[in-house]
Short mmCIF file of all heavy atoms in Angstrom, two decimals:
data_model
loop_
_atom_site.label_atom_id
_atom_site.label_comp_id
_atom_site.label_asym_id
_atom_site.label_seq_id
_atom_site.Cartn_x
_atom_site.Cartn_y
_atom_site.Cartn_z
N THR A 1 -11.72 1.95 0.82
CA THR A 1 -13.10 2.10 0.57
C THR A 1 -13.42 2.03 -0.98
O THR A 1 -14.54 2.21 -1.40
CB THR A 1 -13.70 3.41 1.09
OG1 THR A 1 -12.96 4.49 0.53
CG2 THR A 1 -13.60 3.42 2.63
N GLY A 2 -12.36 1.74 -1.76
CA GLY A 2 -12.57 1.64 -3.17
C GLY A 2 -11.21 1.53 -3.82
O GLY A 2 -10.14 1.62 -3.11
N GLU A 3 -11.16 1.32 -5.15
CA GLU A 3 -9.84 1.25 -5.82
C GLU A 3 -9.12 2.51 -5.66
O GLU A 3 -9.56 3.60 -6.09
CB GLU A 3 -10.08 0.89 -7.28
CG GLU A 3 -8.81 0.46 -8.01
CD GLU A 3 -8.16 -0.76 -7.37
OE1 GLU A 3 -8.84 -1.71 -6.98
OE2 GLU A 3 -6.89 -0.80 -7.25
N GLY A 4 -7.92 2.48 -5.03
CA GLY A 4 -7.11 3.67 -4.86
C GLY A 4 -7.69 4.66 -3.88
O GLY A 4 -7.26 5.84 -3.90
N GLN A 5 -8.65 4.30 -3.08
CA GLN A 5 -9.36 5.18 -2.23
C GLN A 5 -9.30 4.74 -0.79
O GLN A 5 -9.62 3.51 -0.50
CB GLN A 5 -10.82 5.31 -2.70
CG GLN A 5 -11.68 6.14 -1.86
CD GLN A 5 -13.05 6.35 -2.55
OE1 GLN A 5 -13.13 7.18 -3.45
NE2 GLN A 5 -14.02 5.64 -2.12
N PHE A 6 -8.90 5.59 0.17
CA PHE A 6 -8.80 5.21 1.58
C PHE A 6 -9.42 6.31 2.44
O PHE A 6 -9.32 7.46 2.23
CB PHE A 6 -7.30 5.06 1.94
CG PHE A 6 -6.67 3.89 1.27
CD1 PHE A 6 -6.16 4.05 -0.01
CD2 PHE A 6 -6.61 2.67 1.91
CE1 PHE A 6 -5.50 2.96 -0.60
CE2 PHE A 6 -5.94 1.61 1.32
CZ PHE A 6 -5.47 1.71 0.08
N GLU A 7 -10.06 5.82 3.51
CA GLU A 7 -10.50 6.71 4.55
C GLU A 7 -9.55 6.67 5.70
O GLU A 7 -9.19 5.55 6.23
CB GLU A 7 -11.88 6.32 5.06
CG GLU A 7 -12.44 7.16 6.18
CD GLU A 7 -13.75 6.66 6.78
OE1 GLU A 7 -14.32 5.73 6.29
OE2 GLU A 7 -14.14 7.28 7.81
N LEU A 8 -9.05 7.82 6.13
CA LEU A 8 -8.24 7.91 7.34
C LEU A 8 -9.30 7.88 8.48
O LEU A 8 -10.17 8.77 8.55
CB LEU A 8 -7.47 9.18 7.36
CG LEU A 8 -6.48 9.37 8.47
CD1 LEU A 8 -5.31 10.22 8.00
CD2 LEU A 8 -7.08 9.99 9.72
N THR A 9 -9.21 6.88 9.33
CA THR A 9 -10.24 6.72 10.38
C THR A 9 -9.64 6.13 11.64
O THR A 9 -8.55 5.62 11.71
CB THR A 9 -11.36 5.76 9.83
OG1 THR A 9 -12.44 5.76 10.74
CG2 THR A 9 -10.84 4.36 9.53
N LYS A 10 -10.47 6.30 12.71
CA LYS A 10 -10.05 5.80 14.02
C LYS A 10 -8.69 6.21 14.45
O LYS A 10 -7.84 5.43 14.81
CB LYS A 10 -10.21 4.23 14.07
CG LYS A 10 -11.54 3.70 13.65
CD LYS A 10 -12.64 4.17 14.59
CE LYS A 10 -14.03 3.64 14.18
NZ LYS A 10 -14.77 4.58 13.41
N MET A 11 -8.47 7.55 14.39
CA MET A 11 -7.21 8.05 14.80
C MET A 11 -7.42 8.63 16.29
O MET A 11 -8.28 9.49 16.49
CB MET A 11 -6.69 9.23 13.98
CG MET A 11 -5.41 9.81 14.41
SD MET A 11 -4.67 10.92 13.25
CE MET A 11 -3.35 11.56 14.25
N GLY A 12 -6.69 8.04 17.18
CA GLY A 12 -6.73 8.48 18.55
C GLY A 12 -5.39 8.41 19.24
O GLY A 12 -4.54 7.65 18.91
N VAL A 13 -5.21 9.30 20.21
CA VAL A 13 -4.02 9.34 21.07
C VAL A 13 -4.47 9.40 22.53
O VAL A 13 -5.35 10.20 22.84
CB VAL A 13 -3.12 10.54 20.69
CG1 VAL A 13 -1.95 10.63 21.67
CG2 VAL A 13 -2.62 10.43 19.25
N LEU A 14 -3.89 8.62 23.35
CA LEU A 14 -4.21 8.62 24.75
C LEU A 14 -3.95 9.98 25.40
O LEU A 14 -2.98 10.63 25.08
CB LEU A 14 -3.42 7.56 25.54
CG LEU A 14 -3.73 6.08 25.17
CD1 LEU A 14 -2.79 5.16 25.87
CD2 LEU A 14 -5.18 5.75 25.43
N GLU A 15 -4.81 10.38 26.36
CA GLU A 15 -4.60 11.63 27.07
C GLU A 15 -3.20 11.71 27.70
O GLU A 15 -2.64 12.76 27.75
CB GLU A 15 -5.70 11.83 28.06
CG GLU A 15 -7.01 12.29 27.47
CD GLU A 15 -8.03 12.68 28.49
OE1 GLU A 15 -7.65 13.33 29.47
OE2 GLU A 15 -9.21 12.30 28.34
N SER A 16 -2.74 10.59 28.17
CA SER A 16 -1.45 10.57 28.87
C SER A 16 -0.29 11.00 27.97
O SER A 16 0.83 11.37 28.43
CB SER A 16 -1.16 9.18 29.43
OG SER A 16 -1.08 8.24 28.35
N ALA A 17 -0.48 10.98 26.63
CA ALA A 17 0.54 11.28 25.65
C ALA A 17 0.39 12.64 24.99
O ALA A 17 1.20 13.03 24.18
CB ALA A 17 0.72 10.20 24.62
N ARG A 18 -0.71 13.29 25.31
CA ARG A 18 -1.03 14.55 24.61
C ARG A 18 0.08 15.54 24.92
O ARG A 18 0.62 15.58 26.04
CB ARG A 18 -2.39 15.07 24.99
CG ARG A 18 -3.51 14.05 24.65
CD ARG A 18 -4.63 14.58 23.88
NE ARG A 18 -5.41 13.46 23.33
CZ ARG A 18 -6.63 13.15 23.83
NH1 ARG A 18 -7.12 13.80 24.86
NH2 ARG A 18 -7.27 12.11 23.31
N GLY A 19 0.43 16.38 23.96
CA GLY A 19 1.41 17.39 24.13
C GLY A 19 2.81 16.94 23.67
O GLY A 19 3.76 17.67 23.62
N ARG A 20 2.92 15.66 23.30
CA ARG A 20 4.19 15.12 22.84
C ARG A 20 4.27 15.10 21.28
O ARG A 20 5.20 14.53 20.80
CB ARG A 20 4.38 13.70 23.37
CG ARG A 20 4.54 13.57 24.82
CD ARG A 20 4.59 12.11 25.23
NE ARG A 20 4.75 11.94 26.67
CZ ARG A 20 5.88 11.44 27.19
NH1 ARG A 20 6.84 11.00 26.42
NH2 ARG A 20 6.03 11.37 28.49
N LYS A 21 3.29 15.60 20.62
CA LYS A 21 3.20 15.62 19.17
C LYS A 21 3.05 14.22 18.57
O LYS A 21 3.37 13.97 17.41
CB LYS A 21 4.44 16.34 18.52
CG LYS A 21 4.63 17.72 18.99
CD LYS A 21 4.05 18.69 18.07
CE LYS A 21 4.34 20.14 18.43
NZ LYS A 21 3.39 21.05 17.93
N ALA A 22 2.59 13.29 19.39
CA ALA A 22 2.41 11.90 18.91
C ALA A 22 1.35 11.82 17.78
O ALA A 22 1.55 11.06 16.86
CB ALA A 22 1.99 11.03 20.06
N GLY A 23 0.29 12.64 17.87
CA GLY A 23 -0.68 12.61 16.84
C GLY A 23 -0.15 13.10 15.51
O GLY A 23 -0.42 12.56 14.45
N GLU A 24 0.61 14.21 15.59
CA GLU A 24 1.17 14.76 14.33
C GLU A 24 2.21 13.74 13.74
O GLU A 24 2.24 13.58 12.55
CB GLU A 24 1.91 16.05 14.67
CG GLU A 24 2.45 16.77 13.41
CD GLU A 24 2.93 18.15 13.70
OE1 GLU A 24 2.65 18.74 14.79
OE2 GLU A 24 3.68 18.69 12.86
N PHE A 25 2.99 13.13 14.57
CA PHE A 25 4.00 12.13 14.13
C PHE A 25 3.25 10.98 13.43
O PHE A 25 3.64 10.51 12.38
CB PHE A 25 4.79 11.65 15.34
CG PHE A 25 5.95 10.72 14.98
CD1 PHE A 25 7.06 11.22 14.47
CD2 PHE A 25 5.83 9.37 15.38
CE1 PHE A 25 8.16 10.34 14.18
CE2 PHE A 25 6.90 8.52 15.08
CZ PHE A 25 8.08 9.04 14.50
N LEU A 26 2.17 10.52 14.08
CA LEU A 26 1.38 9.41 13.50
C LEU A 26 0.72 9.83 12.26
O LEU A 26 0.79 9.04 11.23
CB LEU A 26 0.32 8.98 14.57
CG LEU A 26 -0.62 7.86 14.21
CD1 LEU A 26 0.10 6.62 13.83
CD2 LEU A 26 -1.64 7.60 15.34
N LEU A 27 0.15 11.01 12.17
CA LEU A 27 -0.54 11.46 10.96
C LEU A 27 0.39 11.54 9.77
O LEU A 27 0.06 11.11 8.64
CB LEU A 27 -1.22 12.82 11.20
CG LEU A 27 -2.18 13.25 10.07
CD1 LEU A 27 -3.24 12.22 9.68
CD2 LEU A 27 -2.80 14.56 10.48
N HIS A 28 1.62 12.06 9.96
CA HIS A 28 2.61 12.08 8.90
C HIS A 28 2.90 10.65 8.39
O HIS A 28 2.93 10.41 7.14
CB HIS A 28 3.98 12.66 9.38
CG HIS A 28 4.01 14.11 9.40
ND1 HIS A 28 4.03 14.88 8.20
CD2 HIS A 28 4.05 15.05 10.40
CE1 HIS A 28 4.07 16.19 8.49
NE2 HIS A 28 4.08 16.29 9.81
N ALA A 29 3.03 9.69 9.32
CA ALA A 29 3.32 8.30 8.93
C ALA A 29 2.11 7.69 8.17
O ALA A 29 2.33 6.97 7.19
CB ALA A 29 3.59 7.49 10.20
N VAL A 30 0.93 8.01 8.60
CA VAL A 30 -0.28 7.46 7.91
C VAL A 30 -0.43 7.99 6.51
O VAL A 30 -0.79 7.32 5.56
CB VAL A 30 -1.55 7.76 8.78
CG1 VAL A 30 -2.82 7.42 7.99
CG2 VAL A 30 -1.45 6.91 10.09
N ILE A 31 -0.15 9.31 6.32
CA ILE A 31 -0.18 9.85 4.96
C ILE A 31 0.84 9.23 4.06
O ILE A 31 0.54 8.85 2.92
CB ILE A 31 0.01 11.41 5.01
CG1 ILE A 31 -1.19 12.07 5.69
CG2 ILE A 31 0.19 11.98 3.65
CD1 ILE A 31 -0.98 13.54 6.04
N ALA A 32 2.04 8.99 4.57
CA ALA A 32 3.08 8.28 3.82
C ALA A 32 2.65 6.89 3.49
O ALA A 32 2.86 6.39 2.36
CB ALA A 32 4.44 8.31 4.58
N ARG A 33 1.97 6.24 4.46
CA ARG A 33 1.59 4.86 4.21
C ARG A 33 0.46 4.83 3.16
O ARG A 33 0.42 3.93 2.35
CB ARG A 33 1.09 4.26 5.54
CG ARG A 33 0.69 2.77 5.43
CD ARG A 33 1.82 1.86 5.09
NE ARG A 33 1.33 0.52 4.98
CZ ARG A 33 1.62 -0.29 3.92
NH1 ARG A 33 2.38 0.14 2.91
NH2 ARG A 33 1.18 -1.49 3.89
N ALA A 34 -0.43 5.82 3.17
CA ALA A 34 -1.46 5.85 2.17
C ALA A 34 -0.91 5.95 0.79
O ALA A 34 -1.31 5.27 -0.15
CB ALA A 34 -2.41 7.03 2.46
N ARG A 35 0.12 6.81 0.66
CA ARG A 35 0.86 6.93 -0.65
C ARG A 35 1.45 5.57 -1.08
O ARG A 35 1.35 5.18 -2.18
CB ARG A 35 1.94 8.00 -0.61
CG ARG A 35 1.42 9.41 -0.51
CD ARG A 35 2.65 10.38 -0.47
NE ARG A 35 2.30 11.71 -0.11
CZ ARG A 35 1.81 12.64 -0.91
NH1 ARG A 35 1.52 12.35 -2.18
NH2 ARG A 35 1.51 13.85 -0.45
N ALA A 36 2.09 4.92 -0.09
CA ALA A 36 2.74 3.62 -0.42
C ALA A 36 1.75 2.57 -0.81
O ALA A 36 2.05 1.64 -1.57
CB ALA A 36 3.54 3.16 0.84
N LEU A 37 0.53 2.65 -0.29
CA LEU A 37 -0.54 1.72 -0.70
C LEU A 37 -1.20 2.08 -2.04
O LEU A 37 -2.11 1.40 -2.47
CB LEU A 37 -1.64 1.64 0.43
CG LEU A 37 -1.24 1.03 1.74
CD1 LEU A 37 -2.29 1.25 2.82
CD2 LEU A 37 -0.97 -0.49 1.53
N GLY A 38 -0.76 3.17 -2.62
CA GLY A 38 -1.27 3.60 -3.90
C GLY A 38 -2.51 4.44 -3.85
O GLY A 38 -3.29 4.47 -4.81
N ALA A 39 -2.76 5.10 -2.74
CA ALA A 39 -3.94 5.95 -2.58
C ALA A 39 -3.93 7.04 -3.63
O ALA A 39 -2.96 7.75 -3.85
CB ALA A 39 -3.99 6.52 -1.19
N GLU A 40 -5.04 7.16 -4.28
CA GLU A 40 -5.32 8.31 -5.22
C GLU A 40 -6.22 9.28 -4.57
O GLU A 40 -6.34 10.42 -5.01
CB GLU A 40 -5.89 7.78 -6.53
CG GLU A 40 -4.93 6.81 -7.25
CD GLU A 40 -5.64 6.05 -8.39
OE1 GLU A 40 -6.80 6.35 -8.75
OE2 GLU A 40 -4.99 5.13 -8.92
N ARG A 41 -6.92 8.82 -3.51
CA ARG A 41 -7.87 9.65 -2.83
C ARG A 41 -7.81 9.26 -1.35
O ARG A 41 -7.95 8.11 -1.02
CB ARG A 41 -9.25 9.35 -3.35
CG ARG A 41 -10.36 10.39 -3.01
CD ARG A 41 -11.54 10.07 -3.89
NE ARG A 41 -12.62 10.97 -3.58
CZ ARG A 41 -13.91 10.62 -3.68
NH1 ARG A 41 -14.30 9.37 -4.07
NH2 ARG A 41 -14.88 11.50 -3.41
N LEU A 42 -7.50 10.24 -0.50
CA LEU A 42 -7.44 10.05 0.98
C LEU A 42 -8.36 11.02 1.65
O LEU A 42 -8.18 12.25 1.44
CB LEU A 42 -6.01 10.25 1.47
CG LEU A 42 -5.75 10.11 2.94
CD1 LEU A 42 -6.15 8.73 3.46
CD2 LEU A 42 -4.29 10.41 3.25
N TYR A 43 -9.33 10.57 2.35
CA TYR A 43 -10.28 11.47 3.02
C TYR A 43 -10.53 11.04 4.44
O TYR A 43 -10.13 9.96 4.88
CB TYR A 43 -11.59 11.49 2.20
CG TYR A 43 -12.33 10.19 2.26
CD1 TYR A 43 -13.39 9.96 3.19
CD2 TYR A 43 -12.05 9.15 1.36
CE1 TYR A 43 -14.02 8.75 3.25
CE2 TYR A 43 -12.72 7.97 1.39
CZ TYR A 43 -13.72 7.75 2.35
OH TYR A 43 -14.44 6.56 2.39
N LEU A 44 -11.19 11.89 5.19
CA LEU A 44 -11.58 11.61 6.54
C LEU A 44 -12.93 12.23 6.85
O LEU A 44 -13.37 13.16 6.18
CB LEU A 44 -10.53 12.02 7.55
CG LEU A 44 -10.22 13.51 7.63
CD1 LEU A 44 -11.19 14.27 8.58
CD2 LEU A 44 -8.78 13.77 8.10
N LEU A 45 -13.57 11.65 7.84
CA LEU A 45 -14.88 12.14 8.34
C LEU A 45 -14.72 12.47 9.80
O LEU A 45 -14.03 11.69 10.56
CB LEU A 45 -15.95 11.06 8.19
CG LEU A 45 -16.11 10.55 6.76
CD1 LEU A 45 -17.07 9.36 6.73
CD2 LEU A 45 -16.62 11.66 5.89
N SER A 46 -15.24 13.58 10.28
CA SER A 46 -15.02 13.99 11.64
C SER A 46 -16.21 14.79 12.16
O SER A 46 -17.28 14.75 11.54
CB SER A 46 -13.72 14.84 11.77
OG SER A 46 -13.41 14.97 13.14
N ASN A 47 -16.06 15.42 13.30
CA ASN A 47 -17.11 16.28 13.86
C ASN A 47 -16.45 17.55 14.37
O ASN A 47 -15.35 17.53 14.92
CB ASN A 47 -17.73 15.53 15.05
CG ASN A 47 -18.90 16.32 15.64
OD1 ASN A 47 -18.67 17.27 16.43
ND2 ASN A 47 -20.10 15.90 15.32
#
């Protein structure tokens, strides 16, 4: 969304996989990927 700026968005896990820690595993990977992309600012919008 800007130079060095990323929105973590559209994160979803199917109900059939809930309880397997798939969301946590994915979120760790996404944070690492944001760093690799040079993110200086990582944010999210939710409800």
Side-chain angles (χ1 to χ4, degrees):
T1 58
E3 193 58 41
Q5 178 171 281
F6 292 84
E7 178 185 355
L8 186 150
T9 187
K10 304 297 179 265
M11 181 168 170
V13 174
L14 295 176
E15 283 189 41
S16 61
R18 300 231 170 104
R20 294 175 178 245
K21 303 262 185 206
E24 185 173 344
F25 186 73
L26 179 58
L27 188 54
H28 277 291
V30 169
I31 291 168
R33 182 66 180 129
R35 288 182 194 279
L37 289 171
E40 297 167 10
R41 195 170 180 212
L42 176 61
Y43 67 94
L44 63 86
L45 304 172
S46 191
N47 183 285

